[in-house]
Amino acid sequence: MDEMTEVRELRAHVPVPDRGRLAPGRARLTEAVRARESRRALWRRREFAIVAVVAAVTAVAVAATLLVGGKDTGRAVQPAATQGVRFKGVSAAEFLRQAADAVQTESDGTVPTAKQWIYTKSVQEPANTSNKRVGELENWIRYDGSASAFRLRNHSLEVTKMHLENGGEGDDRSPREMYRVLTALPTDGKQTLRALREQDAIADSKELSQARNDYSEISVLLSADAMPAKGLASLYRALALLPGGEVTDHLVVNAAGRRVIALNYLRGENSATGESIHDRWLIDPRTYRIVGTQMISARGKVLGGDSIVTTAVVDKAGSRN
């Protein structure tokens, strides 16, 4: 089978992306749930002219959608208490190639069936201390994209019917469709970049460089709910070829209390302040899997983020194992 033809066919019925990240069926969800659900949008242009900073997520999403005003109100990034891993002098490209080699040897774990759900428990980081709605969140999405569910702390489960597959809800894609795209990626980084450019799933912006457009494609794919090891390795190798990445030289502690590697990429500027804003990918130092994302200011303040506590494949919404 021609894998790239299959990928192109996946794109065939998708309309031109617009500024909306969420399908209409999710409009009823709360702000915190929109933050979690925004990672489902696969074929979508990520805006770099930031008026309201959106915490991407991500990943392994990859993210919380949190609006940021003109003031720098986030928390400072804290280094991990135990400096077990350091990356002083290590470039982002070197780190990503190392991560790709490590990830490629891992098993994919349980691949869900169409009727199973992917469960994720995460900690959302608020943009300011007055935002009490953001915190611990439990989220479920069916592998075939026909429904999602969420539960905020001390609240009841809310289930939303959807139809994500075959372009049923605009630019969103089901976890199953995203998984198929990722398994079709070439192993080599240059070939992966070429494949993504040929697909042009997120229409290139003429105002941005090719590298920025490539980063947009890769960063959306990194947010997949179900991530095959081969696909993640391909994305890492492709990302290693792009400029602008930087690895923090020590482990940091994310919102879930986990010691993680921080990989930073310039996202754009906050138009209200002119300050540069960076995506920060949070990566497990043992598995090299993405376990969260943050949006940080040039001064190192966390403006928003989403840190994974645990994930599992379950048989119904509301189940945890």
Side-chain angles (χ1 to χ4, degrees):
M1 177 182 292
D2 185 346
E3 293 177 330
M4 291 314 302
T5 297
E6 183 177 273
V7 173
R8 293 190 188 96
E9 290 175 350
L10 174 62
R11 166 67 180 163
H13 302 292
V14 181
V16 176
D18 56 26
R19 292 178 62 86
R21 292 211 59 157
L22 302 178
R26 301 187 207 181
R28 294 176 293 142
L29 303 185
T30 66
E31 177 184 348
V33 176
R34 289 189 191 187
R36 182 68 184 163
E37 290 301 321
S38 65
R39 70 170 53 207
R40 316 294 177 202
L42 173 58
W43 309 125
R44 191 240 175 228
R45 161 62 52 204
R46 296 182 65 193
E47 299 294 338
F48 284 90
I50 297 176
V51 176
V53 178
V54 180
V57 196
T58 186
V60 256
V62 6
T65 304
L66 302 170
L67 300 183
V68 178
K71 295 183 179 180
D72 186 6
T73 56
R75 72 174 177 87
V77 178
Q78 297 296 322
T82 301
Q83 304 292 337
V85 180
R86 288 186 177 273
F87 297 97
K88 187 174 182 178
V90 177
S91 69
E94 291 172 324
F95 165 73
L96 285 164
R97 287 193 292 266
Q98 173 187 338
D101 290 343
V103 165
Q104 190 165 308
T105 65
E106 297 176 4
S107 66
D108 288 337
T110 302
V111 179
T113 63
K115 295 182 179 181
Q116 287 185 305
W117 299 68
I118 300 171
Y119 163 67
T120 306
K121 181 178 181 180
S122 62
V123 178
Q124 314 290 310
E125 296 190 74
N128 57 68
T129 55
S130 65
N131 190 342
K132 304 299 184 182
R133 291 173 293 175
V134 182
E136 200 169 272
L137 172 67
E138 293 181 294
N139 178 274
W140 292 260
I141 185 166
R142 234 175 81 141
Y143 191 56
D144 64 3
S146 62
S148 68
F150 73 94
R151 179 187 285 127
L152 296 173
R153 180 181 293 180
N154 300 324
H155 287 73
S156 59
L157 182 73
E158 181 173 334
V159 180
T160 302
K161 296 294 184 182
M162 301 184 300
H163 181 67
L164 298 184
E165 297 203 330
N166 301 315
E169 294 194 17
D171 58 4
D172 270 5
R173 283 292 172 266
S174 72
R176 178 167 61 181
E177 287 176 315
M178 294 179 77
Y179 194 90
R180 289 170 178 170
V181 170
L182 289 160
T183 56
L185 290 176
T187 301
D188 179 75
K190 290 183 179 179
Q191 292 178 3
T192 295
L193 282 180
R194 186 179 302 114
L196 294 176
R197 291 168 184 171
E198 288 177 355
Q199 294 172 44
D200 198 23
I202 301 176
D204 284 349
S205 170
K206 295 181 180 180
E207 298 178 356
L208 301 177
S209 66
Q210 183 64 63
R212 278 285 191 87
N213 283 313
D214 290 339
Y215 176 73
S216 293
E217 299 264 5
I218 293 170
S219 61
V220 174
L221 286 168
L222 285 172
S223 69
D225 292 281
M227 177 68 75
K230 174 182 175 293
L232 181 57
S234 297
L235 294 177
Y236 279 165
R237 291 193 177 100
L239 189 56
L241 299 175
L242 303 183
E246 181 179 320
V247 183
T248 302
D249 65 3
H250 55 264
L251 296 183
V252 301
V253 178
N254 68 4
R258 197 172 192 167
R259 294 180 175 86
V260 296
I261 299 164
L263 176 64
N264 308 313
Y265 279 87
L266 177 66
R267 178 183 175 85
E269 292 184 350
N270 184 340
S271 61
T273 65
E275 185 176 27
S276 62
I277 304 297
H278 290 76
D279 288 334
R280 169 166 284 179
W281 300 94
L282 306 177
I283 300 172
D284 189 304
R286 296 166 299 175
T287 66
Y288 292 99
R289 294 271 181 169
I290 295 172
V291 292
T293 60
Q294 292 173 332
M295 186 73 76
I296 62 171
S297 72
R299 287 174 283 179
K301 297 293 184 179
V302 179
L303 306 175
D306 182 19
S307 295
I308 295 173
V309 177
T310 187
T311 62
V313 175
V314 299
D315 292 331
K316 63 180 181 178
S319 296
R320 297 183 176 90
N321 51 53

